[in-house]
Amino acid sequence: MKQPPRHLKKRIILSAFILMFLSLNACKVTLLPGYDANISEQIVNTAKAVDKFYLSMQDNTSAENGGRAFSKFSEQYVNIEVELNALLSKNKIRPLNQNSTRICEITLELWTKYKEEHKKDNTLSDGLVKLNQKTFSDLFFAMQVAEKGKQIIGNPPQ
Amino acid sequence: MNINIDDVLAEMLSTMKGAVGENWSEVKTVAQQFLQRRKERLELLAQLRISGDLSQEKFESRLLDEKLIAEAELNAVGVISKALAQKAASAGLDILKKAVGTAILGAISK
């Protein structure tokens, strides 16, 4: 069988390498969306709002004589729920973002649950204020860890 | 309902280790922070049950919430694990790209 000329063989090999190089350049492993500084900032701001909500409830009001009646806090509950809904929507629309979305869903679920408990009991003891404050602080910490974790893709772990 | 905080923490630690596999050393610090926070919450829960702030029904309901919080924490650990895997895969591809690039240059210069 007649062999192709040497220069043609070289061109074929070179073309194959170039093709492989171009394909590899287009190749990308993506398991997560990139880090979003705006979402990270919104997590911090919402966490601060929730912290302030419970701290001021603890410092400025008392469970005695209806001091913690639900009506006195309903507007703040709504304001924070709006922020949590916005965070959930922002996370939901990002592709490959199931983990962060789930953390937001859990936070919103517990926020609504504790709001309903407050509404039903029409008061909140100091102990429960403290427990709720701690619970949300821990959930926002998880949310922040998840968002900051996406920075690892571009940077080495700290 | 009795709760052994140390048992719960040990179980959570083992679940986290299982979830991240070989990336454990990288997520260890975060996992330890989650465990510390969990310990403080469980201690407060127990304290509130003893003081009567929480009825038995509410106490049990809060223990169920702990499962949701643990799920949130595992999702956060999951992000770190995925980010490490993506970084490792990209680094592997970069090495391959570099090798093919070198081979092209070698073939051209011959």
Side-chain angles (χ1 to χ4, degrees):
Chain A
M1 204 175 128
K2 199 182 168 189
Q3 290 289 314
R6 198 180 150 83
H7 72 278
L8 191 62
K9 205 172 164 184
K10 194 179 155 186
R11 276 190 186 178
I12 292 170
I13 293 171
L14 187 61
S15 306
F17 271 131
I18 290 172
L19 207 66
M20 197 194 284
F21 186 73
L22 292 174
S23 315
L24 279 173
N25 260 338
C27 228
K28 206 176 160 191
V29 179
T30 312
L31 302 172
L32 289 168
Y35 168 72
D36 187 323
N38 289 330
I39 288 190
S40 189
E41 198 185 333
Q42 196 174 348
I43 294 169
V44 172
N45 290 338
T46 313
K48 272 161 73 177
V50 172
D51 206 34
K52 192 178 171 189
F53 172 69
Y54 283 119
L55 279 174
S56 56
M57 193 188 286
Q58 203 172 12
D59 288 349
N60 306 331
T61 65
S62 147
E64 313 279 307
N65 305 318
R68 287 189 189 148
F70 178 77
S71 59
K72 293 181 177 170
F73 304 95
S74 60
E75 199 183 328
Q76 292 172 76
Y77 271 115
V78 171
N79 290 341
I80 290 167
E81 200 169 326
V82 166
E83 287 302 315
L84 288 171
N85 275 327
L87 257 177
L88 178 60
S89 303
K90 280 184 184 173
N91 274 306
K92 251 185 184 171
I93 56 165
R94 298 165 79 197
L96 303 170
N97 200 33
Q98 296 90 335
N99 297 94
S100 291
T101 302
R102 185 65 191 131
I103 302 171
C104 268
E105 281 172 350
I106 290 169
T107 309
L108 188 57
E109 186 182 330
L110 291 183
W111 180 260
T112 314
K113 182 182 173 184
Y114 299 161
K115 181 187 83 175
E116 289 304 318
E117 269 182 17
H118 189 171
K119 199 176 192 174
K120 193 180 157 210
D121 299 341
N122 207 27
T123 190
L124 208 57
S125 70
D126 282 343
L128 276 175
V129 171
K130 207 170 162 187
L131 182 62
N132 290 356
Q133 183 200 0
K134 181 138 195 53
T135 300
F136 289 109
S137 157
D138 295 349
L139 282 166
F140 283 114
F141 177 71
M143 228 185 261
Q144 194 64 282
V145 164
E147 197 51 49
K148 291 269 182 191
K150 293 165 191 160
Q151 282 184 316
I152 293 171
I153 300 166
N155 302 305
Q158 298 294 309
Chain B
M1 185 187 274
N2 289 324
I3 177 166
N4 186 325
I5 294 175
D6 289 333
D7 284 353
V8 175
L9 294 177
E11 198 185 327
M12 196 183 166
L13 187 71
S14 126
T15 310
M16 279 188 180
K17 271 186 182 175
V20 298
E22 61 188 24
N23 293 328
W24 174 242
S25 59
E26 283 87 352
V27 299
K28 200 176 166 188
T29 313
V30 165
Q32 279 170 342
Q33 289 183 61
F34 284 147
L35 289 178
Q36 183 56 37
R37 283 166 179 262
R38 160 149 300 213
K39 191 177 179 198
E40 287 166 15
R41 276 197 319 275
L42 290 176
E43 282 169 354
L44 184 56
L45 257 176
Q47 210 180 308
L48 293 178
R49 177 68 196 106
I50 293 164
S51 68
D53 272 277
L54 277 175
S55 64
Q56 185 62 23
E57 188 193 355
K58 274 194 179 161
F59 177 70
E60 285 173 18
S61 166
R62 292 286 176 147
L63 284 183
L64 287 177
D65 296 345
E66 281 299 319
K67 280 189 181 177
L68 284 174
I69 300 167
E71 189 190 335
E73 289 168 341
L74 279 173
N75 270 288
V77 168
V79 168
I80 298 177
S81 198
K82 279 185 190 175
L84 288 167
Q86 182 169 330
K87 193 176 167 66
S90 300
L93 271 176
D94 284 346
I95 290 168
L96 195 57
K97 276 181 208 170
K98 210 174 161 186
V100 174
T102 311
I104 292 172
L105 288 177
I108 291 170
S109 62
K110 267 185 191 172

